Amino acid sequence: MVERRKPIKVNEAVTRVMRYAKQGSVKFVPIEESYGEFLADDLIADHPVPPFDRSPYDGFAIRSSDTVNASSQAPLSFKVVGEIGAGSVFNGTVGPMETVRIMTGAQIPEGCDAVIMFELVKELAGGEWIQLKRPLESGDNISFAGEDTEKGEVLVKKGTYINPGIVALLATFGYKQVPVSVKPKVGVIATGSELLDVDEDLQPGKIRNSNAYMVLSQIKRAGGEAIYFGQFSDDFETCFNQVKNALEQVDFLITTGGVSVGDYDYLPAIYEKLGANVLFNKVGMRPGSVTTISELDGQLLFGLSGNPSACYVGFELFTRPIIRTYLHSVHPTLKKAEATLGTDFPKPNPFDRFVRGYLSFETGKLVATPVGLDKSNVVSTLGRANALIVLPGGTKGYENGMQVSVLLLEDQEGDTLESFFSPNINDRRSRRNGE
Amino acid sequence: MVERRKPIKVNEAVTRVMRYAKQGSVKFVPIEESYGEFLADDLIADHPVPPFDRSPYDGFAIRSSDTVNASSQAPLSFKVVGEIGAGSVFNGTVGPMETVRIMTGAQIPEGCDAVIMFELVKELAGGEWIQLKRPLESGDNISFAGEDTEKGEVLVKKGTYINPGIVALLATFGYKQVPVSVKPKVGVIATGSELLDVDEDLQPGKIRNSNAYMVLSQIKRAGGEAIYFGQFSDDFETCFNQVKNALEQVDFLITTGGVSVGDYDYLPAIYEKLGANVLFNKVGMRPGSVTTISELDGQLLFGLSGNPSACYVGFELFTRPIIRTYLHSVHPTLKKAEATLGTDFPKPNPFDRFVRGYLSFETGKLVATPVGLDKSNVVSTLGRANALIVLPGGTKGYENGMQVSVLLLEDQEGDTLESFFSPNINDRRSRRNGE
């Protein structure tokens, strides 16, 4: 009577979902609006940097060969024959024992091959002459053309999150309009007759709907455009039509709740009536084992659990990489790192656990500590979590001080699928032990 | 003729700026728009969580005292007297050898003190009876009222960046409208006659203006509202009026360039004519030693360097904590951590250096490596930087493998001023060596 489901491994589940990953289109936005978007094309240098030999300081441009004999005992005098503000150029060639006053960033004048800073010379005759007390070498205080970047160099790969440094690069190379990835439209429908809306007063047996607002925020953090379709009604036909209607308006659809084997869990029946292909409906993970993902003509439906943390984890493991791939990233998953476990988890669990944790940096080391009891219904600790602690399933528990993998929730860099799938220290340990 | 400036230490400079820090006002936004904002008031639980004893699974609610003698050899039968969907309640009391079908999240009915999962019972007579093969203890599979959170508890402090987990909390506790910090208006004026706008073709001696767009993005990352006033003209009176006009429209004003001692550096004269109080005009740091900050009737003017990385560092050290304080954060500075240095810096420098670096996590340790040559005019590496490597000034260089402090650029959590100022490992080492 009750359906028995066979769990699959998390990596297998991610692999099945990622078969339906696709890339979105490209649009152009003004550079002022590019921060926080995802680059949709490689960023290429349209000129060398610096574009010409220039002065990195305010000072005097000079011929180094004229300075060989300069010393404190025998300072040499140079005639100031001109001055160059940043952005202007010196017309003509600087001759022997001549110098030109030059501002930071200005082009080195013809004939000169070194610059000396203002502070290191003495000006004479109201600035008509300067006195130099040390020899200069050719190239002293010159930023050479192309020493930073050569023309045509790929400086940032497409799919990268645009941070302020990348905005500086876009400006330097003339990207007035920036090619960015169009965000996928991700719909959210909440299910659960126990759910009150956020502005309703509490009633016996009911709780306020937190999953929907949480997932809408997770979509934004992942780089998607979040669209909320509201809560399901209790009537099957209405539910079915809500899902069908939402699917037409979005790239991906998320439902929260309704995927267990309980009597009020309509999603399996809705998938069936839609003719959707269920990729899996049970994953060997805690929380979130009932996560159910299906596809209809290539369009993904994410059936996330109704438990807040199961919902949270399901999104980050399965939906986030789909959104990031749509944004042209080749690092679609959460960034994975290794950390020292800051507590004991003595109870073994056959399923892989993803424990909400706080990753801290202690004297140069990563330390991961759970932010609270890892009950799947605990909501109050979710705000402090900045990482998921990965505890692979097996016959043994975990101890304080062990090395474990963590997935970084607030990182924008991500990881490749290959790196995400690579066995972590505990898997390797388990395999050595023949588990 | 050339002004000699006396450098002050970075911590002293930050302290002088922070004397003028002030907090902004509060506004309310719908919960759907709260992600990425900063909480302007403590988040308080308006009810216990869970609000009632509830079932964490789909199953059957039961009186544990009735189950003492259940075993595989002698299964016990219970009559199913009702069912409770999530969100509905059972009216009446469950009696001896009776049970009620219960959905995940539903309230435990009167009389029951345990739940058994669907999968672990056998249903008989079309669901009218169930058969139980094991005893239950009182409290088995029950989430008790208040076990997660007590009413009145402060769950998140004001000034905190609102992440998806915090959005879930806001929904749970009925924050349909969320108190968030009003963003400060931060103006930007770019100076430098060598600057072309981003859409102009390169010209001899000129470069495109990258600082302005970079700083506009840094303002957004820090949580401010960025307003661009364009580039300065070359005429002093016009410049002066541009600054004066901009000051009236913003909370803080940033200028890039024009703060050196060069002949075209108007900012010092503008500060003088405005009657602004210059807090400092030379900091013992590289890059960014010419960073000049002044205040006029308590309003801060940040005179950042015209060099891209000096400008970048100056913003993160001095402007960011002012913006975050305005947003009510008590962790206004960049987050500080310790890391292993991934390269040599053999050349000693009397000034503290802030080297753009990439912080990676390698087998549980933080490793910081510069993203390129640390020339102050290098722009191409800025995009890869996710940290500033702090190398305190002194008479010795640094070696690969040493422990150094790093400041995390993409982190949203921040640090207290006290923690930011605390001596790092190298300072401690330097002091031991009597430097």
Side-chain angles (χ1 to χ4, degrees), chain B residues 141-182:
Chain B
N141 295 319
I142 289 183
S143 298
F144 290 101
E147 73 174 17
D148 180 3
T149 304
E150 286 174 31
K151 184 176 174 173
E153 211 175 312
V154 173
L155 294 174
V156 186
K157 288 272 184 193
K158 73 174 174 179
T160 304
Y161 177 83
I162 300 175
N163 66 24
I166 293 175
V167 173
L169 287 178
L170 290 165
T172 299
F173 297 109
Y175 285 81
K176 177 76 176 171
Q177 297 287 322
V178 179
V180 301
S181 305
V182 172

Side-chain angles (χ1 to χ4, degrees), chain A residues 101 148 263 358 380 413, chain B residues 101 148 220 263 358 380 413:
Chain A
R101 202 177 173 87
D148 180 2
D263 298 350
Y358 180 72
S380 67
E413 199 182 350
Chain B
R101 201 176 174 89
D148 180 3
K220 289 180 200 164
D263 296 352
Y358 180 73
S380 67
E413 199 182 351

Side-chain angles (χ1 to χ4, degrees), chain B residues 143-342:
Chain B
S143 298
F144 290 101
E147 73 174 17
D148 180 3
T149 304
E150 286 174 31
K151 184 176 174 173
E153 211 175 312
V154 173
L155 294 174
V156 186
K157 288 272 184 193
K158 73 174 174 179
T160 304
Y161 177 83
I162 300 175
N163 66 24
I166 293 175
V167 173
L169 287 178
L170 290 165
T172 299
F173 297 109
Y175 285 81
K176 177 76 176 171
Q177 297 287 322
V178 179
V180 301
S181 305
V182 172
K183 290 173 192 280
K185 290 188 171 65
V186 188
V188 175
I189 290 176
T191 85
S193 46
E194 80 283 15
L195 297 181
L196 299 169
D197 205 352
V198 58
D199 55 352
E200 289 186 82
D201 285 334
L202 281 189
Q203 298 166 25
K206 306 217 172 193
I207 54 165
R208 294 199 188 99
N209 172 13
S210 61
N211 281 350
Y213 297 103
M214 179 181 78
V215 169
L216 292 168
S217 308
Q218 287 178 285
I219 292 168
K220 289 180 200 164
R221 178 168 68 185
E225 181 186 338
I227 303 171
Y228 187 35
F229 289 92
Q231 287 179 32
F232 255 4
S233 77
D234 273 346
D235 171 67
F236 177 81
E237 277 304 320
T238 315
C239 294
F240 174 79
N241 288 324
Q242 281 173 316
V243 169
K244 205 165 180 306
N245 169 51
L247 278 171
E248 285 165 14
Q249 300 174 53
V250 299
D251 294 297
F252 316 111
L253 182 63
I254 292 172
T255 54
T256 67
V259 285
S260 302
V261 291
D263 296 352
Y264 294 86
D265 292 316
Y266 285 157
L267 267 302
I270 288 175
Y271 297 141
E272 197 178 332
K273 185 164 176 181
L274 282 170
N277 166 29
V278 175
L279 306 181
F280 55 82
N281 59 14
K282 185 94 176 171
V283 188
M285 63 188 255
R286 292 265 186 248
S289 65
V290 297
T291 307
T292 300
I293 300 181
S294 58
E295 61 87 21
L296 180 63
D297 300 328
Q299 189 178 18
L300 286 165
L301 288 84
F302 296 88
L304 304 182
S305 167
N307 279 329
S309 44
C311 179
Y312 189 94
V313 169
F315 177 93
E316 296 298 339
L317 292 183
F318 304 115
T319 317
R320 184 195 141 108
I322 288 293
I323 293 177
R324 286 286 162 114
T325 302
Y326 193 95
L327 297 169
H328 300 93
S329 175
V330 291
H331 299 91
T333 73
L334 290 175
K335 191 184 182 73
K336 193 176 179 182
E338 285 181 6
T340 304
L341 187 60

Side-chain angles (χ1 to χ4, degrees), chain B residues 61-63 66 78-81 93-100 112:
Chain B
I62 216 157
R63 296 154 35 113
D66 294 345
F78 290 78
K79 183 164 173 57
V80 180
V81 297
T93 302
V94 178
M97 303 313 283
E98 291 180 350
T99 186
V100 164
C112 296

Side-chain angles (χ1 to χ4, degrees), chain A residues 32-330:
Chain A
E32 298 90 323
E33 296 167 18
S34 65
Y35 167 70
E37 298 284 331
F38 291 78
L39 206 57
D41 205 349
D42 290 345
L43 192 165
I44 292 168
D46 77 336
H47 65 73
V49 178
F52 46 81
D53 296 352
R54 69 184 177 195
S55 175
Y57 302 113
D58 293 331
F60 290 90
I62 217 158
R63 296 152 38 110
S64 63
S65 55
D66 294 345
T67 69
V68 177
N69 297 317
S71 70
S72 328
Q73 286 72 36
L76 293 177
S77 293
F78 291 78
K79 184 166 174 57
V80 180
V81 297
E83 70 175 62
I84 322 172
S88 61
V89 288
F90 181 75
N91 296 315
T93 302
V94 177
M97 303 312 285
E98 290 181 351
T99 186
V100 164
R101 202 177 173 87
I102 190 168
M103 301 298 131
T104 305
Q107 187 164 351
I108 305 296
E110 199 77 33
C112 296
D113 64 347
V115 168
I116 183 154
M117 293 164 84
F118 273 0
E119 293 90 326
L120 301 176
V121 301
K122 191 171 175 187
E123 293 187 73
L124 304 172
E128 282 183 36
W129 292 81
I130 60 162
Q131 218 175 44
L132 186 71
K133 294 182 176 176
R134 63 175 78 180
L136 296 177
E137 286 185 20
S138 181
D140 275 1
N141 295 320
I142 290 184
S143 298
F144 291 101
E147 74 173 18
D148 180 2
T149 305
E150 287 174 29
K151 183 176 176 173
E153 213 175 310
V154 172
L155 293 173
V156 187
K157 289 274 186 193
K158 73 174 174 179
T160 304
Y161 176 83
I162 299 176
N163 66 25
I166 293 175
V167 172
L169 287 179
L170 290 165
T172 300
F173 298 109
Y175 286 81
K176 177 76 175 173
Q177 296 288 322
V178 179
V180 301
S181 305
V182 172
K183 291 173 192 276
K185 291 187 170 69
V186 188
V188 175
I189 291 176
T191 84
S193 46
E194 79 282 17
L195 297 181
L196 299 169
D197 204 352
V198 58
D199 55 352
E200 289 185 83
D201 284 333
L202 282 189
Q203 297 166 24
K206 305 218 174 195
I207 54 166
R208 293 199 189 100
N209 172 13
S210 61
N211 282 348
Y213 297 103
M214 178 181 77
V215 169
L216 291 167
S217 308
Q218 288 178 284
I219 292 168
K220 290 180 198 165
R221 178 167 68 184
E225 181 187 338
I227 303 170
Y228 187 36
F229 289 91
Q231 288 180 32
F232 256 2
S233 78
D234 273 346
D235 171 66
F236 178 81
E237 277 304 320
T238 315
C239 294
F240 174 79
N241 288 325
Q242 281 172 317
V243 169
K244 204 164 182 306
N245 168 51
L247 278 172
E248 285 165 16
Q249 301 174 52
V250 299
D251 294 297
F252 315 112
L253 182 64
I254 292 172
T255 53
T256 66
V259 285
S260 301
V261 289
D263 298 350
Y264 294 87
D265 293 314
Y266 284 155
L267 266 304
I270 288 176
Y271 298 141
E272 197 178 332
K273 185 164 177 182
L274 283 169
N277 165 28
V278 175
L279 306 182
F280 54 83
N281 60 15
K282 185 94 176 173
V283 187
M285 63 188 257
R286 292 265 184 248
S289 65
V290 296
T291 307
T292 300
I293 300 182
S294 59
E295 61 86 21
L296 181 62
D297 301 328
Q299 189 178 17
L300 286 165
L301 289 84
F302 296 89
L304 303 182
S305 166
N307 278 331
S309 44
C311 179
Y312 190 93
V313 168
F315 177 92
E316 296 297 339
L317 293 184
F318 304 114
T319 316
R320 183 194 143 108
I322 288 293
I323 292 177
R324 286 285 161 114
T325 302
Y326 192 95
L327 296 169
H328 299 94
S329 175
V330 292

